[in-house]
Structures are given as structure tokens and as C-alpha cells.
Amino acid sequence: MKILLTGGTGYIGSHTAVELIQAGFEVEILDNLANSKIAVLDKIAKITGVKPKFYEVDLLDASATDKVLRDGRFDAVIHLAGLKAVGESVEKPLIYYKNNVCGTINLLESMKRNSVNKMIFSSSATVYGDKDGIKLTEDMETGIGITNPYGETKYVIEKILMDVANSNNDFEVTILRYFNPIGAHSSGLIGEDPNGIPNNLMPIIMKVATGEIPKLMIYGDDYNTPDGTGMRDYIHVVDLAKGHVKAVEKLKPGVEVYNLGTGEATSVKEIVKAFEDVAGKELPNEVVERRAGDLAKIYADCSKAERELGWSTELNIKDAMRDTINYLRHYEG
């Protein structure tokens, strides 16, 4: 099967490319390099022995997107491309709606014109909104209490995909709702390397560890959790990438939705301690006021993915810390 991977030079995309290639799929990558580096292609090649064909294309460029789909003759699309910084989306909502929603519409229109009827979509646990402290299942209501435009774009795209599937009996789409990916490939060659100031916990920890950021800000220690800090479901990025392989293998007409997480919640302080234990060094940190909209505890029920896709996580928090530190040692920028 030949797959177009949008956003394939990014953090999740590069790991997904590796797992797909190692599973025997033919992979080509489309990315505008807004939050990634082209050098990742050589690293994918070093890991797998295959350098994917690459298109430097922005999905907002409808004609360039259509040329890729027309010439590539793909069997399926895995759609990861999109802006994803929550804070930035609050400051620049129009950019997020235009990039994420309009880019996806361009992609879907091109898929229709070129008879590509299979898609895996990279969604997010943010679509569940402000449900706090309960294990999230795929059949729960979505779209209520979403606190940022980034999350809204994921929700809107999910609705678009469902409507497209309702209008086309041949359309096969699987929506994967990610929780919190962390870690890196065990080779140390690829990992999380966002452009600019990072928003997620692990990239900030990495920059504190290397001295690029003086200390870690812990936003609130008075939540109703065992140590007072917020708890999230952190999944190793390699496990997440393998979920895409399983999803492609199980595609069928209509829409299926799966959570990809571990089913366990880990606190900010527990993550920091796990990193310190593996790294053998302390991270300077300071507890500051909560951020508006942050919830105490968010974690997944992943039993549907295990039952229907035959997927479950194999790696844990300690593995993620080990692989992150290994990536830092290999990091070339």
C-alpha cells in the first residue's frame, strides 16, 4: 500500500514514517516545514534504509496539493499536518482555522478528485472539552467546553470527516485521538524538536536540561491530585506511531474513532522526577499560578483500540525518559 503522510517530517510524523516503512508500506511525505526540518528525511533513511520521497507543499496551496495527489497515485492518506500550539491558537485563531480546517478541506477535495478514499486523521483529546478526572471513552460527547481554537479545529475537522463519510459510502476514515506523546526513537536520531518556544511539558524539560531555559515553571500545585499537580496520559511516541500502522491495516468504510493513550495519568511532578532519575541531575523548577483552562486530570480509556485494532502500549514513562535523554545526546539541531 502506498501512503501519503502529511506533516511527515514533524515529531509524530517522522516516527510514524519509520513504523510504516518498517511494516512494509511505501511512504511519501508532504510537509511545509513550518515546524520541522528537512534533515529528518536523512534520519528516517538511516533508521529504515529508505528515504521517503518528499514534497515541500503547503496544504493551503490547493493546486500544488492536487498535483501531489494526482501524480502520486496513493492508496491512503495519513493526515498529521497542522498547527498545534494551544497558546498560539488563542492569540492567532484565524491562522489556526485557516491552516488546519481549510488545509484539510483542500486535501479532501483533492482526494475526491483523485479517487483516494482512505484516510487516517490525527485528532486530539482536546475534542472532549472540559471533562475532568474521568476516563475518556470514544462515545462521550465532544465539542462542549473546548478551551482553545486549536481544539476547536480538531473538532470541526472530525465533523467534516463524518459528513464526508455520510455522503460517500466508499470513504474509509479512522480518527485517532492522541493524548500526550513523549519520548523519542531508541536510535536517538529523531525526537521532539519544535521550532521556537515549546508549549508542551517534555520539550520544556529538555530545554531546561540543556540550559536553554533557566527553569521549569509548574503551573499550579493545588489541584485535586495526589501531589497537587496536573495529571495527563503520556504515551510514548513510538507506541503512538505503531497505532497508525494498526489503523491503516484495519481501515473499513465509514468512520471509526480510537483513543491512543496508556489509560494511566501521570502528574507533572512525577514526570520531572522520572526525568531526573534517568538523567541523574535535578531540574530547577518553580511552582507558579495555574493557567486558565487547565484541568486536573485527563486520561484515556483505550480498550476499544486494544479490542478492535489489536493495539496496546508497550513502552512506559521510564522508557520515554531514557529515549528522550538519548535523543538529547545525539541532537544535532
Side-chain angles (χ1 to χ4, degrees):
M1 182 183 284
K2 186 176 182 182
I3 295 173
L4 177 65
L5 183 59
T6 75
T9 53
Y11 174 44
I12 298 170
S14 58
H15 288 82
T16 300
V18 166
E19 296 302 324
L20 287 166
I21 292 167
Q22 291 180 332
F25 292 93
E26 182 180 354
V27 177
E28 297 187 0
I29 290 173
L30 178 154
D31 204 303
N32 67 0
L33 301 176
N35 195 35
S36 60
K37 298 178 176 68
I38 198 166
V40 166
L41 296 171
D42 291 326
K43 296 175 181 179
I44 293 171
K46 192 168 183 180
I47 295 168
T48 65
V50 177
K51 185 173 182 178
K53 185 174 182 179
F54 176 70
Y55 307 91
E56 187 175 350
V57 168
D58 192 312
L59 292 176
L60 290 178
D61 186 337
S63 61
T65 299
D66 200 55
K67 186 177 189 307
V68 172
L69 270 291
R70 185 172 64 251
D71 295 348
R73 299 183 179 277
F74 299 100
D75 299 299
V77 173
I78 298 181
H79 181 32
L80 283 75
L83 297 175
K84 63 175 187 176
V86 169
E88 183 183 57
S89 77
V90 175
E91 297 169 5
K92 304 173 181 178
L94 290 179
I95 292 175
Y96 272 69
Y97 282 106
K98 183 176 182 179
N99 185 87
N100 294 2
V101 178
C102 295
T104 301
I105 290 171
N106 285 345
L107 177 61
L108 287 167
E109 288 178 337
S110 182
M111 288 174 64
K112 183 177 180 180
R113 281 192 293 271
N114 294 285
S115 301
V116 182
N117 289 313
K118 301 177 188 292
M119 176 184 270
I120 308 293
F121 174 59
S122 157
S123 192
S124 166
T126 57
V127 301
Y128 290 112
D130 55 1
K131 297 176 178 65
D132 198 354
I134 56 174
K135 213 167 207 181
L136 300 172
T137 60
E138 293 89 346
D139 57 0
M140 287 181 175
E141 185 178 34
T142 57
I144 305 299
I146 297 174
T147 58
N148 56 79
Y150 160 73
E152 292 285 2
T153 67
K154 292 296 187 183
Y155 173 70
V156 168
I157 293 168
E158 284 196 10
K159 297 298 289 182
I160 290 170
L161 292 173
M162 291 173 187
D163 288 341
V164 171
N166 285 336
S167 71
N168 178 2
N169 292 333
D170 295 326
F171 193 55
E172 303 177 16
V173 60
T174 293
I175 294 168
L176 301 177
R177 293 176 180 157
Y178 303 166
F179 280 70
N180 296 74
I182 58 173
H185 192 268
S186 59
S187 66
L189 292 172
I190 56 175
E192 191 163 14
D193 182 25
N195 294 338
I197 299 171
N199 291 272
N200 297 333
L201 177 61
M202 278 309 300
I204 295 173
I205 286 176
M206 291 162 66
K207 288 186 180 294
V208 173
T210 58
E212 295 176 67
I213 295 176
K215 60 184 173 182
L216 170 69
M217 299 299 181
I218 296 175
Y219 295 99
D221 64 352
D222 58 350
Y223 288 99
N224 184 25
T225 61
D227 65 21
T229 60
M231 303 183 75
R232 298 293 181 267
D233 190 333
Y234 294 97
I235 176 174
H236 197 297
V237 68
V238 172
D239 280 331
L240 182 67
K242 289 178 178 178
H244 294 75
V245 176
K246 292 289 189 181
V248 170
E249 293 172 345
K250 299 285 188 177
L251 273 167
K252 59 185 180 181
V255 181
E256 291 291 344
V257 181
Y258 298 100
N259 289 333
L260 294 186
T262 66
E264 303 290 337
T266 306
S267 76
V268 173
K269 285 185 178 179
E270 287 173 332
I271 290 287
V272 172
K273 186 177 186 307
F275 186 91
E276 290 175 335
D277 288 347
V278 176
K281 63 185 288 187
E282 291 188 3
L283 293 175
N285 63 80
E286 178 185 352
V287 176
V288 296
E289 289 185 3
R290 295 184 184 190
R291 293 179 298 194
D294 274 357
L295 303 177
K297 185 177 181 180
I298 302 170
Y299 64 126
D301 183 326
C302 302
S303 58
K304 183 182 178 186
E306 184 172 1
R307 184 174 65 252
E308 297 185 8
L309 298 181
W311 172 90
S312 60
T313 58
E314 301 171 353
L315 301 166
N316 58 31
I317 296 293
K318 186 176 180 180
D319 295 324
M321 298 305 136
R322 177 201 64 212
D323 294 336
T324 297
I325 291 165
N326 188 38
Y327 172 65
L328 284 174
R329 289 175 180 149
H330 286 81
Y331 182 69
E332 300 171 356

